[in-house]
């Protein structure tokens, strides 16, 4: 029988200022908890593309349970329903543990959910565009045969071919623009659900801070870490979108030495912790390039050299610059882990990584390649497993810029 116990109000000595402080506070907290599931329901209703809707249901059950515990904290002030209160807390605890465990289990799938359908859509668009190109090519062949049969002069055929090629070029530019817009849209649209997830985890952590075990705290830490990595990937996609759209209007005469010094100052902690010796031999110091893009290139190359250093030996990075034909070459040579040179084409692709023992998005080298090629340059690499790697950035000299 519940009347075996005294109401919780006895603990407050029935002092109104204490009793009502707890009652009103628990009421406000409970009300807040009860509104969150409706917000989740509204989100699911508005975002028809959301998958794992059942996960939101688990969150809703868990949050409703949290709210119910606060309501029972009010009830037990006057009515000692401690057994029922304990049962509600047990249900809430099971829901919270179940939600946390299931969230961890499906986190890898959640990280790729937004991109699967979108990449499928992109693939369908590319297939459709390819079919259009095939049809256009067939039409071109028929046109050329018709022109030959009509024995038109060479100039007329050249003009017609030029017009057709210009049309194809416009179409290819449109396809490329669509791809760029897709990357931008994907990175933009992913921000909302990941922000919601971050907010939910913040509420969850705050509400359970004093109730969860060290193991559960570690689980929540792992979840937050995964969300952080997902956020980093979204930021990298945004950076790619900006690179695709930007022009060369910000090209200026800049000092390689000064820019490299800024990068090293910003990375002083990483360089110190990695115990990496930086060796410089800059024969060419001034070049025409985008200052922020050069800073991004230097940062990514130096960061990779530190990440993939060989911890079994003293590490160094040799940074040099020199002229080679129409280019100024910036070389980053290290004595790190290296990789199989047969796989060098893969390292410049999106999300491709050859080493998994350190964190990374697999976008750094892709961004470098796009920046350099957009500016009329090129990137090359040489590497050997256990010996090290050398990345060469070829930047067009001013007299050769088209």
């Amino acid at each position: 029988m519940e009347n075996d116990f005294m109401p919780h109000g006895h603990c407050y000595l029935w002092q109104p200022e204490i009793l009502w402080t707890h009652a009103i506070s628990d009421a406000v907290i409970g009300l807040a908890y009860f509104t969150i599931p409706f917000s989740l329901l509204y989100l699911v209703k508005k975002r028809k593309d959301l998958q794992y809707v059942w996960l939101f249901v688990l969150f809703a059950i868990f949050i409703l349970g949290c709210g119910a515990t606060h309501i029972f904290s009010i009830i037990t002030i006057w009515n000692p329903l401690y057994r029922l209160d304990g049962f509600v807390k047990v249900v809430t605890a099971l829901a919270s543990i179940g939600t946390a465990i299931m969230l961890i289990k499906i986190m890898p799938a959640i990280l790729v959910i937004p991109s699967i359908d979108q990449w499928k859509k992109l693939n369908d668009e590319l297939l459709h565009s390819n079919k259009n190109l095939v049809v256009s090519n067939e039409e071109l062949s028929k046109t050329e045969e018709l022109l030959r049969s009509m024995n038109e002069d060479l100039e007329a055929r050249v003009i017609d071919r030029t017009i057709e090629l210009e049309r194809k070029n416009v179409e290819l530019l449109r396809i490329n623009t669509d791809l760029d817009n897709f990357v931008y849209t994907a990175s933009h649209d992913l921000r909302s659900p990941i922000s919601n997830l971050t907010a939910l985890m913040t509420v969850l952590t705050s509400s359970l801070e004093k109730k969860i075990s060290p193991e559960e705290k570690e689980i929540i830490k792992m979840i937050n870490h995964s969300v952080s990595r997902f956020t980093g990937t979204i930021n990298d996609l945004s950076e790619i979108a900006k690179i695709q759209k930007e022009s060369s209007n910000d090209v200026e005469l800049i000092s390689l030495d000064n820019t490299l010094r800024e990068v090293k100052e910003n990375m002083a902690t990483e360089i110190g912790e990695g115990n990496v010796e930086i060796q410089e031999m800059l024969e060419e110091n001034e070049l025409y390039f985008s200052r922020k893009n050069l800073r991004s290139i230097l940062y990514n190359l130096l960061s990779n050299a530190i990440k993939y250093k060989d911890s079994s030996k003293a590490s160094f990075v040799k940074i040099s610059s020199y002229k080679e034909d129409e280019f100024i070459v910036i070389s980053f040579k290290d004595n790190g882990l290296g990789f199989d040179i047969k796989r060098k084409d893969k390292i410049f692709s999106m999300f491709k990584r050859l080493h998994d023992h350190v964190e990374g998005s697999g976008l750094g080298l892709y961004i470098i390649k796009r920046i350099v090629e957009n500016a009329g340059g090129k990137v090359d690499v040489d590497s050997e497993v256990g010996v090290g790697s050398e990345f060469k950035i070829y930047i067009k000299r001013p007299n050769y810029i088209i």
Side-chain angles (χ1 to χ4, degrees), residues 57-251:
V57 174
L58 282 177
F59 268 112
I61 294 173
F62 159 60
I63 295 171
L64 282 172
C66 291
T69 60
H70 284 277
I71 297 303
F72 269 96
S73 292
I74 300 173
I75 295 174
T76 56
I77 293 176
W78 291 278
N79 195 347
L81 300 177
Y82 296 122
R83 291 187 178 87
L84 184 56
D85 183 21
F87 175 76
V88 172
K89 288 182 178 179
V90 170
V91 172
T92 303
L94 293 175
S96 64
I97 293 174
T99 303
I101 293 174
M102 293 306 298
L103 184 60
I104 292 173
K105 285 185 176 180
I106 68 169
M107 184 56 65
I110 290 178
L111 293 177
V112 298
I113 284 174
S115 61
I116 291 177
D117 291 338
Q118 292 176 336
W119 283 117
K120 182 178 182 299
K121 179 181 178 182
L122 174 61
N123 184 60
D124 293 338
E125 291 176 353
L126 289 174
L127 290 175
H128 179 69
S129 300
N130 185 59
K131 290 179 181 179
N132 289 339
L133 290 175
V134 171
V135 172
S136 299
N137 187 59
E138 292 175 352
E139 292 176 352
L140 177 60
S141 299
K142 293 178 181 179
T143 302
E144 289 177 344
E145 189 169 337
L146 178 61
L147 289 174
R148 285 193 297 269
S149 67
M150 296 176 63
N151 197 25
E152 293 183 354
D153 59 72
L154 180 61
E155 181 179 0
R157 283 189 290 144
V158 170
I159 293 175
D160 289 339
R161 289 289 303 274
T162 301
I163 294 174
E164 183 67 15
L165 289 175
E166 288 178 349
R167 184 185 66 79
K168 283 192 172 185
N169 185 56
V170 171
E171 186 173 356
L172 289 174
L173 289 175
R174 180 187 60 78
I175 293 173
N176 189 57
T177 300
D178 289 343
L179 290 174
D180 295 345
N181 290 336
F182 171 77
V183 172
Y184 175 80
T185 302
S187 63
H188 181 271
D189 290 350
L190 288 175
R191 291 182 182 278
S192 179
I194 196 62
S195 296
N196 290 336
L197 183 57
T198 301
L200 289 173
M201 289 305 303
T202 300
V203 173
L204 177 63
T205 304
S206 177
S207 62
L208 297 180
E209 184 176 3
K210 298 181 179 179
K211 301 178 183 179
I212 59 178
S213 65
E215 291 79 7
E216 292 168 337
K217 288 183 179 179
E218 186 63 25
I219 291 175
I220 293 178
K221 182 180 178 180
M222 293 168 60
I223 296 174
N224 289 329
H225 178 67
S226 297
V227 172
S228 178
R229 290 183 59 190
F230 193 11
T231 302
T233 301
I234 293 174
N235 292 334
D236 286 337
L237 287 174
S238 299
E239 183 65 22
I240 291 173
K242 288 191 289 186
I243 292 172
Q244 311 289 57
K245 293 176 178 297
E246 69 183 7
S247 65
S248 58
N249 294 333
D250 58 344
V251 172

Side-chain angles (χ1 to χ4, degrees), residues 270-289:
E270 293 91 329
I271 295 172
E273 291 177 350
N275 194 24
V276 176
E277 178 186 2
I278 309 296
Q279 304 172 6
E280 299 179 22
M281 189 171 64
L282 306 180
E283 297 178 10
E284 293 296 319
N285 183 44
E286 293 187 340
L287 64 158
Y288 281 89
F289 204 73

